[in-house]
Amino acid sequence: MGRSQTRSDFISRIVIICLFIVLFVIIMIPFYAVALSSFKPGESLVRYGLNLSLDFEIMSFDNFIYLFTGQHDYFVWFWNSMILTIAQVVLTLFVSAFVAYGFAAYDFKGKNFLFICVLLIMMVPFEILLVPLYSLINDLGMVNSYSAIILPGIANAATIFFFRQYLRSIPKEIIQSGRVDGANEYAIYFRLIMPIMKPSFAAMAILNGMNSWNNLLWPFMVLGDQSKYTLPIGLKTLLTPYGNNYDLLIVGSFFSIIPIFILFIAFQKYFIDGMTAGAVKG
Amino acid sequence: MIKKFVYSQKVAPYVFVLPFILIFLIFWFFPLVNSFVMSFQDRMLGQDPKWIGEANYSKLLTDKVFLTAIKNSVVYMLGTLVLLIPLPMLFAVMINSKLMMGREFFKSSFFLPALTSVAVAGTIFRLTFGEMEGSLMNSFLGLFGIDPIKFLKDGNWSMAALLILACWRWTGVNMLYYLSGLKSIDNEYYEAASIDGASAWQKFRTITMPLLKPTTVYVTTISVYAGLAMFTESLMMFNGNNSPKNIGLTIVGYLYRQGIEQNKLGYAAAVGIVLLVIAMVINLTQLKFSGMFKKEED
């Protein structure tokens, strides 16, 4: 019995590991193909699409040289994305954590109702608000501004939810002791609570940063001015009905993933904490 | 005086949640109500609205393009449910088992596709599913002697391409959800089952699956939401909001076409309200049948 048990364990182990290696290869193929294609001339992409052929005769660093020295707006988009992402993350985190503390630390009239509103935002597809929201920012004269991208999301429901869950595990005695020491409610939050929230700030900074860096639809609608385009919008405009600038597109796509990859490798734990927040109750 | 008021323990909580109340009212509640009102109007940006009652809705009922969009979105949503719940659950159980090696490595590499923007991922898959003989997918199929397929010109194939893109991006994320669900299952259950001589499959069916139900409910809810609201994937895959015979048109794509491209705000708002109703009905039914409402008091 014992021996057949270990043998079947051994076979299961081989099967599982082989399966995961196959899945790993499938998942990596697109990355590999993009990395490979960024060394190939654009016309090869037009003719063959993405492929895995290692054709050293046509491969060169030309696309990379073009990316760094050519006449195009790529680094303007890159810079815009940086600025927008940083502004969005800082403001969203600051406001959402502030709000979450209100929900976690106090009992007040209307709290349940307001919290249901938080949950409602999480349940209604943002996309249905595209048209009225667009006409609203049009009326407010905010078209073409980064504030129109940032403002609607600064009290981000999912982020508030995460911070509130996190804050509920902080002992109420800290708040009490702050009051005994004569600190006012806001000083308690800013001096005592915010420092404790550091790990949750890291998790949410990374998740919000990733979403902001990758966001396409709403910024695409808001920004009409080319000089304000972000990276995803810029990459999208390289695909036109009249022809596609694959030379820049493919190497630009490849290059746009790299900052997030580096962040991910450095802060894996926070990515995963942020991602799985709220998935399981507790 | 004012300072004392704002600093009091009674008022402070409202100061804390005030930003949420403002944002909620301005950027969420007001547009939502406005959307509802607009759906009964004939309205264009910068012009006076005209009240037309339920005309937009009755027009939607007979709008063949809209029905195509609904069909596409619903098929896509069902496809993501069928593919992106059982498989990630199974993978999570496998990766969690003591037989697995290199757990952290696989966990993080499966997550990598989620880091790509839809602009990049859409471009990658557009080129992968190119109709040329040499493109990645066709050259793979060529190995089995299958003739090149024009993926993005045939409805079924383009839906398959969209679903493959969804699987590539989200399998790892859903697997993470299930892994964090598995962490909360007490090992004693498995030990007791082993003593009773339960097989691996029996353990999976009678212990793992039922205890993962909260995770499944969560993943289902977000999948219904994301599936019905899909738009940018199709926008990137078809290089714009127009696809041959609307094979890639989704509900949000239609909303975008009517509201933003053609400036028919009222009609687009009605599309949005229909989407809201569909999403709510499916999710509330799903939550009701899984008994989630009873467990909410904590």
Side-chain angles (χ1 to χ4, degrees):
Chain A
M1 160 99 189
R3 174 170 286 189
S4 75
Q5 188 68 36
T6 46
R7 177 184 256 179
S8 79
D9 271 6
F10 180 72
I11 294 169
S12 314
R13 169 173 290 186
I14 299 287
V15 170
I16 291 176
I17 290 169
C18 285
L19 175 76
F20 272 79
I21 290 173
V22 170
L23 288 170
F24 172 79
V25 170
I26 293 173
I27 282 172
M28 287 302 153
I29 282 176
F31 290 118
Y32 176 68
V34 170
L36 207 59
S37 298
S38 55
F39 292 98
K40 294 177 188 170
E43 71 178 280
S44 142
L45 275 162
V46 176
R47 202 174 306 157
Y48 305 113
L50 274 189
N51 60 61
L52 303 178
S53 73
L54 258 176
D55 188 351
F56 288 111
E57 270 174 33
I58 60 165
M59 286 168 75
S60 68
F61 285 98
D62 287 356
N63 293 340
F64 286 90
I65 293 169
Y66 179 57
L67 178 75
F68 285 103
T69 61
Q71 295 261 319
H72 53 70
D73 292 333
Y74 187 82
F75 288 101
V76 176
W77 306 331
F78 204 94
W79 178 246
N80 291 344
S81 275
M82 278 287 186
I83 299 288
L84 181 64
T85 299
I86 291 170
Q88 191 158 23
V89 169
V90 169
L91 285 169
T92 304
L93 258 54
F94 185 81
V95 173
S96 300
F98 192 76
V99 172
Y101 179 73
F103 280 117
Y106 299 97
D107 282 313
F108 55 94
K109 229 185 183 158
K111 176 176 158 176
N112 283 340
F113 173 75
L114 281 173
F115 199 67
I116 288 172
C117 294
V118 174
L119 299 176
L120 261 180
I121 296 186
M122 290 168 74
M123 282 183 75
V124 172
F126 167 78
E127 286 79 358
I128 72 155
L129 297 179
L130 284 178
V131 170
L133 207 51
Y134 185 79
S135 81
L136 175 69
I137 65 150
N138 188 55
D139 292 344
L140 294 174
M142 282 161 65
V143 172
N144 230 341
S145 70
Y146 286 161
S147 52
I149 299 171
I150 296 171
L151 275 182
I154 56 170
N156 181 281
T159 308
I160 293 175
F161 190 81
F162 178 85
F163 280 135
R164 174 186 161 269
Q165 294 289 90
Y166 188 84
L167 282 166
R168 291 206 310 182
S169 65
I170 292 177
K172 284 254 164 47
E173 286 76 33
I174 299 178
I175 302 172
Q176 266 328 6
S177 72
R179 281 181 191 140
V180 170
D181 289 345
N184 71 54
E185 299 299 309
Y186 311 100
I188 291 173
Y189 171 68
F190 286 113
R191 300 228 185 93
L192 297 177
I193 305 296
M194 252 170 103
I196 309 177
M197 292 172 73
K198 261 189 208 150
S200 64
F201 272 115
M204 284 297 107
I206 284 174
L207 197 69
N208 277 289
M210 174 181 110
N211 289 338
S212 176
W213 181 260
N214 288 336
N215 198 6
L216 173 65
L217 184 57
W218 182 237
F220 174 62
M221 284 179 59
V222 170
L223 302 175
D225 188 348
Q226 287 213 17
S227 66
K228 290 191 176 159
Y229 278 2
T230 59
L231 207 42
I233 305 175
L235 289 173
K236 190 192 170 310
T237 59
L238 292 176
L239 291 165
T240 70
Y242 313 106
N244 304 315
N245 304 303
Y246 283 128
D247 316 51
L248 186 58
L249 180 66
I250 205 72
V251 70
S253 299
F254 182 61
F255 203 72
S256 78
I257 312 175
I258 291 177
I260 296 283
F261 265 36
I262 295 174
L263 259 183
F264 178 71
I265 310 272
F267 300 104
Q268 276 186 47
K269 181 182 166 310
Y270 295 115
F271 264 100
I272 290 169
D273 284 355
M275 212 74 197
T276 53
V280 185
K281 287 183 59 163
Chain B
M1 190 63 197
I2 292 173
K3 198 171 173 187
K4 206 175 167 196
F5 176 74
V6 173
Y7 276 50
S8 79
Q9 234 187 83
K10 266 209 135 35
V11 178
Y14 295 101
V15 175
F16 277 108
V17 295
L18 186 65
F20 172 74
I21 298 175
L22 290 177
I23 296 290
F24 177 80
L25 288 177
I26 301 170
F27 292 110
W28 203 87
F29 186 70
F30 173 71
L32 190 68
V33 172
N34 201 12
S35 187
F36 192 69
V37 173
M38 273 163 125
S39 72
F40 294 100
Q41 293 174 335
D42 184 7
R43 185 164 174 175
M44 291 172 88
L45 210 57
Q47 286 180 15
D48 284 337
K50 213 171 20 180
W51 196 263
I52 53 167
E54 36 63 63
N56 284 327
Y57 290 100
S58 39
K59 200 170 133 203
L60 271 181
L61 282 178
T62 54
D63 186 337
K64 284 217 179 78
V65 181
F66 181 56
L67 295 179
T68 308
I70 291 193
K71 195 196 101 200
N72 289 341
S73 288
V74 170
V75 169
Y76 177 81
M77 178 204 81
L78 291 175
T80 56
L81 290 183
V82 169
L83 293 166
L84 280 169
I85 290 178
L87 292 177
M89 188 200 285
L90 206 65
F91 295 155
V93 170
M94 285 179 180
I95 210 170
N96 204 41
S97 92
K98 58 183 191 306
L99 301 172
M100 189 63 195
M101 291 188 315
R103 204 168 284 146
E104 292 307 312
F105 171 78
F106 286 114
K107 239 163 74 177
S108 38
S109 52
F110 281 28
F111 188 82
L112 290 180
L115 301 178
T116 60
S117 73
V118 73
V120 171
T123 304
I124 296 176
F125 275 75
R126 190 181 135 76
L127 292 168
T128 301
F129 288 96
E131 57 184 59
M132 302 73 77
E133 211 174 309
S135 76
L136 193 54
M137 207 32 102
N138 272 332
S139 56
F140 174 72
L141 293 175
L143 297 178
F144 303 95
I146 298 170
D147 286 336
I149 294 167
K150 293 185 170 153
F151 290 101
L152 301 179
K153 290 190 176 145
D154 175 291
N156 293 331
W157 285 115
S158 58
M159 182 57 72
L162 284 167
L163 285 170
I164 291 173
L165 169 59
C167 285
W168 180 71
R169 276 181 95 203
W170 302 118
T171 298
V173 172
N174 286 1
M175 195 180 85
L176 282 181
Y177 289 140
Y178 276 112
L179 277 170
S180 66
L182 284 172
K183 256 196 223 148
S184 64
I185 299 180
D186 199 330
N187 211 19
E188 278 176 26
Y189 293 113
Y190 293 106
E191 278 159 17
S194 294
I195 292 168
D196 292 341
S199 70
W201 169 246
Q202 280 170 327
K203 282 186 219 166
F204 178 73
R205 239 200 38 193
T206 56
I207 302 171
T208 313
M209 253 168 58
L211 289 176
L212 280 177
K213 201 169 108 183
T215 312
T216 304
V217 171
Y218 176 79
V219 176
T220 309
T221 310
I222 56 169
S223 304
V224 167
Y225 173 112
L228 287 175
M230 191 272 280
F231 167 48
T232 28
E233 281 82 350
S234 159
L235 186 75
M236 289 310 300
M237 197 77 111
F238 292 98
N239 194 4
N241 198 13
N242 288 308
S243 43
K245 291 188 194 146
N246 293 315
I247 50 174
L249 186 69
T250 66
I251 302 177
V252 176
Y254 196 57
L255 184 155
Y256 187 84
R257 182 185 289 176
Q258 294 294 334
I260 307 298
E261 291 172 351
Q262 301 182 9
N263 198 12
K264 293 181 197 152
L265 301 189
Y267 200 53
V271 173
I273 298 294
V274 173
L275 171 61
L276 176 68
V277 171
I278 297 176
M280 280 304 196
V281 167
I282 295 179
N283 262 335
L284 293 179
T285 318
Q286 189 254 130
L287 291 173
K288 184 168 168 50
F289 276 103
S290 53
M292 275 332 255
F293 287 132
K294 285 175 225 144
K295 285 181 66 185
E296 272 311 304
E297 64 270 358
D298 57 334

